[in-house]
């Protein structure tokens, strides 16, 4: 019986194996690859092994699809800044951290600098590793006392960055310059340890326009990342970590910062785009910056400008600063207890890609 079954299915098995071997040897060719036969006839088919590259989606990042939105004021300008005029802007697709950078992820950067080890074996990139000094990358833990007058911040100053109880809380006490150092390290860390044929684009801070577009979560006009206009959901729960009233910090569930993965994500799957910690972005600050930039992937820069845009509001801010259109700034070397950051990566697929569910885009 067994021999009869083998004899019946043997031709089919042999055919499958033969086809697999021929494909593995490239005898059947691949769509879009260079053809040896055509090249020998003088045809041009392109350099081999360059077709089919796809940009991986790094862990804990989400794709933000390309689109057009109304950037700028989403509600009353109660501060009368007149710095967020409405304009229609187009944003190309990019990847963004779904969470703010946590203490533990930033600690991995610090430990890599401390040990001088940026790759786990022979680096897979030809680029030189970045050069950092340990003292210049350490977060300033004294901000828990120095940022506020007559405030007992000693426990947080001692434990917030170093203790595992706060591993999943957003890193603070980092300047705009340190945030960019983290991006530089993370870029090298990925490309030096990845086995891909081509390097990934660099990690970076989001532009101000990218940040606002991402914060609105796919909504054309949204006062808050969850839409609005209210700060509470139907059950009466506050939707973010901020200062609900004078002297009241706890009604949202946390006196200070909250873990990076609490509260509901917005339409793009991004957490804490408002509240918890405010976030550094790439742009230099100008009161008229949004009016001066182009309407396609805008970014405002000015040589020598030390002020950098900060977005999103924090645990210590009132609701006005949580609005997706509110613009503030801080000097690039300043470290505080309420500013952190998240990173982005440019998507280098086809222009105009709107298919964020593409099966070819792989999660690491």
């Amino acid at each position: 019986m067994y021999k009869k079954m083998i004899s019946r299915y043997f031709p089919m098995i042999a055919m499958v194996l033969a086809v697999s071997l021929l494909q593995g040897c490239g005898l059947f060719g691949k769509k879009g690859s260079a053809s040896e036969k055509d090249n020998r006839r003088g045809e041009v088919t392109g350099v081999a092994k360059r077709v089919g590259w796809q940009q991986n989606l790094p862990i804990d990042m989400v794709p933000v699809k390309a689109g057009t939105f109304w950037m700028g004021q989403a509600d009353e300008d109660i501060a009368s800044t007149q710095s967020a005029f409405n304009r229609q802007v187009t944003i190309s697709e990019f990847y963004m951290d779904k969470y703010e950078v946590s203490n533990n992820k930033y600690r991995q950067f610090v430990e890599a600098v401390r040990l001088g080890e940026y790759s786990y074996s022979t680096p897979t990139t030809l680029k030189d590793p970045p050069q950092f000094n340990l003292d210049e990358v350490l977060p300033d833990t004294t901000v828990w006392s120095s940022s506020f007058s007559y405030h007992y911040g000693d426990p947080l100053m001692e434990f917030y960055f170093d203790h595992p109880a706060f591993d999943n809380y957003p890193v603070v006490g980092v300047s705009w310059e340190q945030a960019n150092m983290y991006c530089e390290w993370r870029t090298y860390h990925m490309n030096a340890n990845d086995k891909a044929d081509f390097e990934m684009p660099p990690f970076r801070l989001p532009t101000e326009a990218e940040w606002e577009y991402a914060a609105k979560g796919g909504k054309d006009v949204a006062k808050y990342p969850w839409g609005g206009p209210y700060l509470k959901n139907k059950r009466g729960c506050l939707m973010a970590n901020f200062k609900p009233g004078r002297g009241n910090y706890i009604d949202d569930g946390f006196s200070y910062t909250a873990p990076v993965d609490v509260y509901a994500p917005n339409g793009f799957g991004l957490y804490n785009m408002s509240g918890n910690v405010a976030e550094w972005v790439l742009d230099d600050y100008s009161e008229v910056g949004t009016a001066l930039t182009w309407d396609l992937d805008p970014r405002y820069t000015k040589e020598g400008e030390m002020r950098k845009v900060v977005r999103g509001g924090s645990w210590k801010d009132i609701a006005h600063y949580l609005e997706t259109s509110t613009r503030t700034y801080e000097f690039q070397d300043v470290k505080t207890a309420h500013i952190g950051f998240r990173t982005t990566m440019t998507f280098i697929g086809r222009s105009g890609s709107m298919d964020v569910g593409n099966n070819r885009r792989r999660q690491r």
Side-chain angles (χ1 to χ4, degrees):
M1 180 71 177
Y2 181 76
K3 291 183 178 180
K4 289 182 178 180
M5 290 180 65
I6 291 294
S7 61
R8 172 188 286 184
Y9 293 109
F10 180 80
M12 185 181 299
I13 296 172
M15 182 178 294
V16 171
L17 290 174
V19 169
S20 300
L21 290 172
L22 289 172
Q23 286 179 332
C25 296
L27 296 181
F28 283 175
K30 294 183 179 180
K31 183 179 180 182
S33 62
S35 168
E36 181 72 18
K37 183 178 179 180
D38 287 340
N39 285 332
R40 290 182 181 278
R41 290 168 46 207
E43 301 293 345
V44 176
T45 59
V47 177
K49 297 182 179 180
R50 292 182 61 86
V51 176
W53 181 84
Q54 47 193 298
Q55 185 170 339
N56 290 315
L57 182 63
I59 190 170
D60 285 340
M61 296 192 92
V62 297
V64 179
K65 64 181 181 180
T68 298
F69 78 113
W70 283 96
M71 183 177 180
Q73 193 171 323
D75 201 355
E76 182 182 3
D77 184 13
I78 61 173
S80 299
T81 62
Q82 299 185 9
S83 64
F85 292 111
N86 293 103
R87 59 190 297 232
Q88 191 168 242
V89 170
T90 294
I91 300 296
S92 299
E93 190 172 29
F94 60 97
Y95 296 158
M96 184 176 237
D97 288 341
K98 66 169 65 175
Y99 311 118
E100 295 152 334
V101 174
S102 67
N103 282 320
N104 207 27
K105 287 184 177 179
Y106 193 86
R107 186 179 297 108
Q108 184 177 349
F109 167 44
V110 172
E111 289 302 307
V113 174
R114 189 193 309 276
L115 299 173
E117 297 176 358
Y118 301 122
S119 62
Y120 293 103
S121 58
T122 303
T124 54
T125 178
L126 298 177
K127 296 179 180 177
D128 294 329
Q131 299 297 317
F132 301 116
N133 181 282
L134 180 61
D135 291 335
E136 70 181 2
V137 303
L138 286 171
D140 183 3
T141 58
T142 66
V143 295
W144 289 108
S145 291
S146 61
S147 293
F148 315 103
S149 299
Y150 303 106
H151 165 251
Y152 182 56
D154 293 18
L156 290 170
M157 183 171 63
E158 182 177 356
F159 295 113
Y160 186 79
F161 181 68
D162 294 319
H163 199 280
F166 293 101
D167 274 357
N168 200 37
Y169 285 65
V171 66
V172 296
V174 291
S175 65
W176 182 86
E177 297 163 334
Q178 288 176 307
N180 281 281
M181 292 178 191
Y182 174 91
C183 293
E184 186 180 354
W185 163 77
R186 189 178 179 188
T187 300
Y188 185 85
H189 174 73
M190 171 164 284
N191 289 326
N193 295 294
D194 190 16
K195 303 300 181 183
D197 293 332
F198 298 95
E199 295 189 353
M200 295 276 279
F203 292 96
R204 57 176 174 80
L205 295 178
T207 66
E208 183 176 13
E210 286 175 335
W211 188 96
E212 184 171 329
Y213 176 66
K216 291 183 175 179
K219 297 178 173 65
D220 193 30
V221 178
K223 184 176 181 179
Y224 302 112
W226 53 89
Y230 305 110
L231 292 162
K232 295 181 179 181
N233 61 19
K234 294 179 179 179
R235 295 179 296 172
C237 300
L238 290 167
M239 299 290 288
N241 180 19
F242 67 110
K243 184 180 179 180
R246 186 184 295 272
N248 177 10
Y249 296 87
I250 194 61
D251 275 3
D252 52 48
F254 299 90
S255 297
Y256 295 96
T257 58
V260 297
D261 56 357
V262 299
Y263 303 102
N266 72 358
F268 286 140
L270 301 166
Y271 290 74
N272 291 304
M273 290 299 288
S274 284
N276 212 23
V277 291
E279 300 176 13
W280 292 112
V281 299
L282 202 56
D283 295 49
D284 297 334
Y285 180 81
S286 170
E287 292 79 359
V288 296
T290 56
L292 297 175
T293 52
W294 199 26
D295 54 5
L296 171 61
D297 293 327
R299 177 198 171 190
Y300 178 77
T301 59
K302 181 181 179 182
E303 186 176 356
E305 178 59 71
M306 296 287 288
R307 297 176 300 171
K308 307 299 179 183
V309 176
V310 176
R311 285 300 204 109
S314 74
W315 60 269
K316 74 167 193 63
D317 292 320
I318 62 174
H320 168 68
Y321 294 97
L322 271 61
E323 295 180 16
T324 57
S325 59
T326 299
R327 306 179 67 233
T328 58
Y329 72 88
E330 189 53 86
F331 290 91
Q332 65 183 44
D333 58 348
V334 169
K335 306 170 186 179
T336 75
H338 66 279
I339 299 178
F341 68 101
R342 73 180 74 213
T343 68
T344 58
M345 173 188 284
T346 300
F347 177 69
I348 55 175
R350 67 183 180 87
S351 176
S353 172
M354 299 293 290
D355 184 11
V356 296
N358 193 326
N359 292 328
R360 294 182 61 197
R361 184 170 303 160
R362 296 174 295 171
Q363 174 78 43
R364 286 183 178 274

